[in-house]
Amino acid sequence: MSDDTLTISDRIQAQLDDLTRAERQLAHSILENYPASGLGPLSALAKDAQVSVPTVARMVQKLGFSGYPEFQLELREELKAKVKNPIAKHDTWAERAPSEHLLNRLTDAVIDNIRHTLGQIDPKDFDAACDLAADTSRHLYIVGGRVTHTLAEYLFLHMQVIRPKITHIQSTSNAWPHYLLDVKEGDIFIVFDMRRYENNTLKLAEMAHAKGAKLILFTDQWRSPVHHLADISFSSRIVIPSAWDSAVTPLLLLETMVSTVQNLTWGDTKDRMEALEDMFDQTKLFRKFT
Amino acid sequence: MSDDTLTISDRIQAQLDDLTRAERQLAHSILENYPASGLGPLSALAKDAQVSVPTVARMVQKLGFSGYPEFQLELREELKAKVKNPIAKHDTWAERAPSEHLLNRLTDAVIDNIRHTLGQIDPKDFDAACDLAADTSRHLYIVGGRVTHTLAEYLFLHMQVIRPKITHIQSTSNAWPHYLLDVKEGDIFIVFDMRRYENNTLKLAEMAHAKGAKLILFTDQWRSPVHHLADISFSSRIVIPSAWDSAVTPLLLLETMVSTVQNLTWGDTKDRMEALEDMFDQTKLFRKFT
DNA sequence: ACAAAGGTGTTACATATTTTTCAATATTTT
DNA sequence: AAAATATTGAAAAATATGTAACACCTTTGT
């Protein structure tokens, strides 16, 4: 590296606030696949970032270079140094932290969990579950427990936009028996139950099962007792080097399910989403996204 | 990437015997600090290898490229691909599903998001944020928006066990101004704001800031406007091939923070956790974990 | 609502870079 | 050893690239 140990990536990030809209857009494009994109011709970079050519020229000057060639020169120097440096065997995620840092250790564990979990999932099951969740002729109930209700609600919030006839039940609430009154045969329950498994959730699942509802279960690798009642279950690995379990893998499955269901019901969803957009615009809850 | 998986470096070494004296000299110069030297101007490379300019042009054509620019283009593509694969290359995640299956595509994107995000995080910032969150002399407020309140609550549920003096505020609720009455200088706000950024969250952050509270922000790569007020911010990449954004990366950061804070306050947490266990056992809410 | 300032993009120009041409030198073959 | 062939480098031509000046648009403050 050159005189100072600051990489160009660092400098861009540090200055990110002093940059204008187009320049920020460009900055993200440079960081997107760093440093490769900065090593091409200026015009290619500009096109890639969808900004004009002079914007690129101006920004590199703002970063303290006399011009684009000098900017590229330093990028190449950086690259040389990185390749040469034996430490730069970046098998570490947070590159600036030692590999023993929790950021790296937990990320390792989480990736490992994802790999294990996905490796054991049968895509047929997954697709079948998504088909069920996309079926608007059935009412969809989403059930979570003490901790897992956050996952349940995350799923609920998205599904709410995608389809009608949907209810979020918290198994720890006293009110859940009331919800079961209306359950009809063929309705769907998406149940979350991770250790420590909750009695309420099990009872709720039993009653739903008795009423002829289909059960889709998200659980952990040891499987909640609800598993015996479930039509389809997904078990995620959730252990990380922490006193707590990780919800990352189940969340990934959820997001994939949301995306899949969305694709299955695109015709209807589109209208629903546009309607929602309008409502948000009217309530001025949100800032315009620029 | 090109059709064949051969890198330029491989191709050069394979052809090394068919090259002439000057070309071999040049080849070694390219391989010397690969790929940086090949990414500069042709003339610089020629001078560096002490060969003439046309020699470079000729050899590049011998390698099968139409010209020097095309050669550089492929070098950059190679670099992009290399940077992208720190772990687990082409093995698909859900092995039983084709690589185009959403399970695999979304997982790829999520892993990529994690890598990008972690790579840009300064561990000093992260540790500083954890230190703040572990400081029980300050009250800790956790603030989420319409969707992000699920993340906020996830954090809250865990922190609640780890430390006292903690409050979860939903910025979309009408009640939030009341919470601010009790805020004292030095109190901590952990704020979640992802696109679309919410006006309420911004206002809440402004008021908290005005009261002298410390702000820790979890946002996306484009950064919520709250960023300007925040003492520490973490920007996660959240884009996935879906109509929705991914919360996986921020969740990973959260879990790491929980674990870190837990370690920092272990002496106290231990007692709190045991007390909690007792309470759970008494209420019989949970099944024994076997 | 208007004016001023700052930001952005289009065009044109100067410069740098690559390619081609051609002559000189080295290498191989007979 | 001489001729033929292949290799190399210098210089010129062609192309691509970066920079500067100008004009339009958007935003900000009065």
Side-chain angles (χ1 to χ4, degrees), chain B residues 20 22 52 54-55:
Chain B
T20 64
S52 73
T55 301

Side-chain angles (χ1 to χ4, degrees), chain B residues 128 131-141 163-166 184-189 212-215:
Chain B
D131 284 342
L132 279 176
D135 185 344
T136 50
S137 71
R138 309 158 185 269
H139 197 103
L140 175 60
Y141 294 87
R163 55 161 289 167
K165 295 211 279 182
I166 176 167
K184 284 191 283 292
E185 186 170 342
D187 281 353
I188 309 164
F189 275 72
K214 294 264 180 191
L215 262 65

Side-chain angles (χ1 to χ4, degrees), chain A residues 23-34:
Chain A
E23 284 171 345
R24 216 167 8 242
Q25 201 173 318
L26 169 64
H28 279 121
S29 186
I30 295 175
L31 296 177
E32 179 64 33
N33 14 24
Y34 183 86

Side-chain angles (χ1 to χ4, degrees), chain B residues 166-186:
Chain B
I166 176 167
T167 309
H168 176 202
I169 309 178
Q170 228 178 300
S171 74
T172 50
S173 132
N174 299 324
W176 68 257
H178 302 296
Y179 287 108
L180 285 177
L181 292 174
D182 297 331
V183 173
K184 284 191 283 292
E185 186 170 342

Side-chain angles (χ1 to χ4, degrees), chain A residues 129 131-136 138-142 163 167 183-190 213-216:
Chain A
D131 284 341
L132 279 176
D135 185 346
T136 50
R138 310 158 185 268
H139 197 104
L140 175 60
Y141 294 87
I142 299 179
R163 56 161 290 165
T167 310
V183 173
K184 284 192 284 292
E185 188 170 342
D187 281 354
I188 308 164
F189 276 71
I190 298 185
K214 296 262 180 191
L215 260 66
I216 299 170

Side-chain angles (χ1 to χ4, degrees), chain B residues 20-23 51-52 54-55 58:
Chain B
T20 64
R21 195 253 321 149
E23 283 171 344
V51 298
S52 73
T55 301
R58 275 190 289 261

Side-chain angles (χ1 to χ4, degrees), chain B residues 48-60:
Chain B
D48 197 54
Q50 298 187 316
V51 298
S52 73
V53 166
T55 301
V56 181
R58 275 190 289 261
M59 180 168 123
V60 162

